Amino acid sequence: MTAAEWPGIDALNGLLPAHGPRFVVQDEALLADGLHYETRIATQGRIATRPENWHDLFNALVWARYPAIKSALNARQCLHVAAMGPQRRNRAQQALTQFDECGVIVRVADPRLLPLWDGHHWHALFAAQAARWQDGGIGVAAVIGHALMEQALVPGRRLVGRCVVVHGADDAACVARVAAALAAGEILDDPLQLRPLPLAGVPGWQPRQDDAFYAEAGYFRPLREGRTYPAPLR
């Protein structure tokens, strides 16, 4: 998708559902209200957005594509802001922010693949099981992280998604399940609940994916002693 110029606020708002928050230009007048970014969304329905800014553009596009996810993240953040105050952040806020910035929803239909992922057996998960990434055994259901999208603008940047995993085979159903779990406070109480996924290892992501590539421990990091992950959502 290309365009001759940056989309304006009105164009971005045209992508949103009829009811819900709206994008507004982030300027000194807006910030003078002194509200926390998340609180402003929840109480006034105004999403502060910097014009001609990649980070905020991708954030707007995620709001347009996955409004239930973004609304649930906002509601959860506001609960913690009310409890902690605007200057302090707890582990749950860190987890919610990591998912908001770098989050990926992964659906897994074949549960036999999870031990490979949980053990950081990257060659086995990606190379040896390449067919499962093609036939629906495992796949990316949605990219939520707008910072992750911004990082993808840098050629050759090796991205790492922070993942919520759903046992299922339908993308839309898995996204809806994550939205419901977020709204109910079932997930993301701690950043360690997010599974890392080196996205460059996904079969077909990039041309060179040989054995030496998957052996690069600086990117395909081994499992730390004692690290565990939660069961996938169902």
Side-chain angles (χ1 to χ4, degrees), residues 36-38 48 50 53-60 62-63 69-70 73 77 89 92-105 142-152 159-163 182 188 194 199:
H36 189 284
Y37 170 83
E38 301 286 357
R50 294 167 291 184
N53 180 282
W54 282 111
H55 190 87
D56 288 9
L57 173 61
F58 287 129
N59 183 52
V62 178
W63 266 102
I69 292 279
K70 295 292 282 187
L73 286 168
Q77 287 282 17
R89 291 168 57 82
Q93 286 173 285
Q94 294 172 24
L96 294 164
T97 298
Q98 284 191 22
F99 185 68
D100 190 31
E101 297 283 348
C102 298
V104 177
I105 298 173
V143 177
I144 302 300
H146 53 286
L148 198 65
M149 299 177 190
E150 184 183 21
Q151 293 170 20
L159 308 176
V160 178
R162 303 298 173 182
C163 303
L182 282 168
L188 299 190
L194 291 162
L199 291 167

Side-chain angles (χ1 to χ4, degrees), residues 31-55:
L31 299 180
D33 63 16
L35 292 175
H36 189 284
Y37 170 83
E38 301 286 357
T39 303
R40 186 184 296 109
I41 297 173
T43 61
Q44 299 185 356
R46 301 198 292 175
I47 307 169
T49 304
R50 294 167 291 184
E52 300 187 13
N53 180 282
W54 282 111
H55 190 87

Side-chain angles (χ1 to χ4, degrees), residues 21-223:
R22 287 293 181 266
F23 305 114
V24 295
V25 173
Q26 177 176 309
D27 55 19
E28 291 184 5
L30 179 72
L31 299 180
D33 63 16
L35 292 175
H36 189 284
Y37 170 83
E38 301 286 357
T39 303
R40 186 184 296 109
I41 297 173
T43 61
Q44 299 185 356
R46 301 198 292 175
I47 307 169
T49 304
R50 294 167 291 184
E52 300 187 13
N53 180 282
W54 282 111
H55 190 87
D56 288 9
L57 173 61
F58 287 129
N59 183 52
L61 295 177
V62 178
W63 266 102
R65 181 66 180 86
Y66 303 111
I69 292 279
K70 295 292 282 187
S71 293
L73 286 168
N74 172 247
R76 287 282 305 283
Q77 287 282 17
C78 286
L79 287 175
H80 293 294
V81 170
M84 302 291 295
Q87 304 301 325
R88 299 172 59 201
R89 291 168 57 82
N90 58 24
R91 298 284 291 177
Q93 286 173 285
Q94 294 172 24
L96 294 164
T97 298
Q98 284 191 22
F99 185 68
D100 190 31
E101 297 283 348
C102 298
V104 177
I105 298 173
V106 177
R107 52 168 176 75
V108 178
D110 184 349
R112 295 173 298 179
L113 300 174
L114 275 176
L116 302 179
W117 189 355
D118 290 351
H120 290 205
H121 303 303
W122 303 118
H123 186 278
L125 176 66
F126 293 129
Q129 298 293 334
R132 303 313 329 262
W133 290 89
Q134 305 298 328
D135 67 11
I138 185 172
V140 173
V143 177
I144 302 300
H146 53 286
L148 198 65
M149 299 177 190
E150 184 183 21
Q151 293 170 20
L153 295 172
V154 181
R157 175 70 62 87
R158 293 183 180 179
L159 308 176
V160 178
R162 303 298 173 182
C163 303
V164 172
V165 181
V166 185
H167 180 73
D170 180 79
D171 288 352
C174 290
V175 171
R177 179 67 183 96
V178 173
L182 282 168
E186 297 177 26
I187 57 174
L188 299 190
D189 292 321
D190 191 285
L192 294 178
Q193 295 175 357
L194 291 162
R195 284 175 172 81
L197 184 67
L199 291 167
V202 173
W205 190 277
Q206 63 177 38
R208 178 183 166 247
Q209 292 181 319
D210 54 17
D211 291 349
F213 171 69
Y214 288 113
E216 295 180 17
Y219 180 59
F220 296 100
R221 296 185 178 182
L223 183 69

